[in-house]
Amino acid sequence: MNPLEDSIVPDRALDVKTEASEFAREHIEPNAAEYYESGDYPWDILEAAQEAGLAGQDIPETWGGRGLDLPQLLAITEEFYRADAGIALTIQLASFGCEITYEYGSDEQCEEYVRPVAEGDQLSGLAVSEPETGSDLAGMQTSAEQDGNEYVLNGEKYWIGNGVEADWVTVYARTGDDGNNRYGNHSMFIVPTDTDGYEAEHIPEKMAMPASKQAHITFDDCTIPESNLIGHEGAGFMMLADFFNHGRIVVSGHGLGLAAAAIEEAWEFTHEREEFGRTINEFQAVQHGLADMLVEFESARALVWRACRKVESDENAGYWAALSKTKATETAVDVAEQGMQFHGGRSILDERRIARVYRDVRVPVIYEGANEVQRNLIYGQAP
């Protein structure tokens, strides 16, 4: 049983898919249970991914990366998340926020900040969500006020990957209050995490993806040079809108990888577990359940890879990204729940992979824009 077979993947992404699969089986899968239990940050696996050229390699070759495109990133994502979502997220967050800098920033910013991430010497992060605001990008209240040739940041950010571990984060902050144009009031900034006024602490006691660390960040008169503004003032919302279209395809891969893991576990368990003198896969009800899991998975995967092509070519990208993210992440939830049911009482044991998958699938339906918001986008942007 190999749900992530190659036929749907474009030729140019096959080699890196193989790299990712081999890396996942050697480094991620054997250590997944240990890191899930300990909740430690998997520095050793992240460093191995950096050495293997599988972390931060969406960064263009100009700035030291491999310039991997969206299909290649999706191919990697499927394989990593099949092995373990928390470790996979840590690897993918190693360069989070870099895309905004290399797409819209200056050459000087890319040389100083992006290149060290591509070379594995630094980690980055992206700070958007706030304690009281998540999917409403126009409602974020963290402010950046210009004072001469500097900007002074005040406010809070929440659920920020690598907020503690990163060397610098890309911060989305309010720079205007034009009520007639609520989408032009925010800007993007590079903030080194050793700047005075930057404080971050881990958010504790998560039920899922414990090997990935998120932080609560506080900015208290955190002062950065004017040169750390990315692009120009007021462009932050539009930068993020494009960034999240690509990001939602990647998050679709989160759903596909998790769903594949649930299918693998359910298939193996039902073909080994005996009840009433035969393995339970011989019961028609179980066969139908497994068939339904495959129908939903294959439907989701076909949509995701079609959406990947649409977003890459910028064909109604917001619509396809929202469709893809919604379907893939909700399929993961449904498939994991069916997998739990097949495992019976053993499904709730922490040592079981299906139990870890079941907890992890609750996260992608929320991050990168909750699926309720995605449905708004689907309806509003339908062709």
Side-chain angles (χ1 to χ4, degrees):
M1 171 53 61
N2 177 25
L4 298 177
E5 53 86 26
D6 293 347
S7 64
I8 199 171
V9 179
D11 289 346
R12 70 180 185 276
L14 290 176
D15 286 347
V16 76
K17 175 180 166 62
T18 299
E19 290 178 43
S21 177
E22 293 173 353
F23 181 90
R25 293 187 186 280
E26 179 180 352
H27 295 279
I28 301 177
E29 193 170 333
N31 298 297
E34 175 186 344
Y35 276 104
Y36 213 103
E37 181 178 355
S38 71
D40 293 335
Y41 192 87
W43 285 106
D44 55 338
I45 302 177
L46 173 58
E47 289 169 2
Q50 290 170 325
E51 292 175 4
L54 291 169
Q57 297 308 307
D58 57 303
I59 294 171
E61 294 179 5
T62 304
W63 308 116
R66 294 174 66 179
L68 298 181
D69 60 21
L70 191 57
Q72 291 170 320
L73 294 175
L74 177 56
I76 292 173
T77 302
E78 289 184 324
E79 295 292 344
F80 280 5
Y81 275 76
R82 186 205 63 81
D84 182 73
I87 295 173
L89 185 56
T90 290
I91 294 171
Q92 291 201 321
L93 290 180
S95 60
F96 207 38
C98 279
E99 182 179 340
I100 290 173
T101 303
Y102 67 67
E103 287 288 344
Y104 302 103
S106 66
D107 288 353
E108 291 77 15
Q109 288 173 334
C110 290
E111 187 64 43
E112 182 174 357
Y113 294 103
V114 175
R115 183 178 294 280
V117 175
E119 294 176 349
D121 296 326
Q122 292 188 4
L123 300 179
S124 62
L126 176 64
V128 178
S129 295
E130 298 181 358
E132 302 301 326
T133 311
S135 297
D136 180 14
L137 294 180
M140 303 296 176
Q141 295 302 311
T142 295
S143 65
E145 296 187 6
Q146 189 161 13
D147 181 13
N149 60 356
E150 298 176 321
Y151 280 94
V152 182
L153 279 71
N154 284 284
E156 297 176 81
K157 294 292 182 181
Y158 210 67
W159 297 120
I160 309 307
N162 285 344
V164 172
E165 292 78 14
D167 296 276
W168 58 276
V169 293
T170 305
V171 179
Y172 180 73
R174 179 176 290 273
T175 50
D177 288 297
D178 184 355
N180 297 319
N181 179 21
R182 68 190 301 261
Y183 302 111
N185 291 326
H186 294 80
S187 306
M188 303 298 299
F189 298 89
I190 296 169
V191 181
T193 56
D194 61 358
T195 304
D196 289 343
Y198 179 102
E199 297 292 338
E201 60 181 1
H202 285 140
I203 298 171
E205 298 179 2
K206 297 182 303 174
M207 63 168 264
M209 301 188 188
S212 174
K213 299 302 181 184
Q214 284 70 43
H216 175 199
I217 300 174
T218 301
F219 301 98
D220 183 9
D221 286 341
C222 180
T223 303
I224 58 173
E226 181 181 30
S227 59
N228 283 27
L229 169 69
I230 301 174
H232 60 272
E233 273 199 17
F237 183 94
M238 298 311 297
M239 290 179 185
L240 279 183
D242 184 59
F243 173 81
F244 282 134
N245 286 339
H246 287 78
R248 285 168 187 150
I249 295 298
V250 175
V251 171
S252 300
H254 298 184
L256 293 178
L258 283 162
I263 290 170
E264 287 178 352
E265 286 296 288
W267 192 273
E268 180 179 351
F269 185 82
T270 57
H271 283 73
E272 293 180 353
R273 173 70 168 172
E274 290 189 4
E275 292 285 358
F276 305 102
R278 51 181 170 163
T279 55
I280 62 176
N281 70 289
E282 296 180 47
F283 291 96
Q284 189 179 64
V286 174
Q287 293 173 359
H288 287 184
L290 291 169
D292 287 341
M293 293 169 78
L294 292 170
V295 167
E296 290 305 308
F297 175 78
E298 293 295 349
S299 299
R301 197 168 185 228
L303 173 59
V304 169
W305 280 97
R306 184 183 185 199
C308 181
R309 294 193 299 271
K310 292 286 189 179
V311 171
E312 187 179 35
S313 60
D314 199 24
E315 298 178 53
N316 201 6
Y319 170 76
W320 287 101
L323 275 178
S324 173
K325 193 261 184 182
T326 302
K327 176 62 177 175
T329 58
E330 292 182 5
T331 293
V333 172
D334 294 341
V335 168
E337 184 171 2
Q338 181 64 80
M340 289 283 284
Q341 190 68 20
F342 284 149
H343 277 72
R346 300 185 185 196
S347 67
I348 65 173
L349 298 174
D350 281 341
E351 66 188 32
R352 288 283 175 172
R353 182 188 183 197
I354 191 65
R356 302 196 301 269
V357 171
Y358 184 69
R359 291 195 290 269
D360 289 344
V361 295
R362 291 304 311 159
V363 185
V365 295
I366 298 170
Y367 59 41
E368 209 84 4
N371 282 6
E372 290 77 10
V373 174
Q374 301 310 304
R375 285 178 164 83
N376 292 342
L377 296 173
I378 292 166
Y379 176 81
Q381 300 181 44

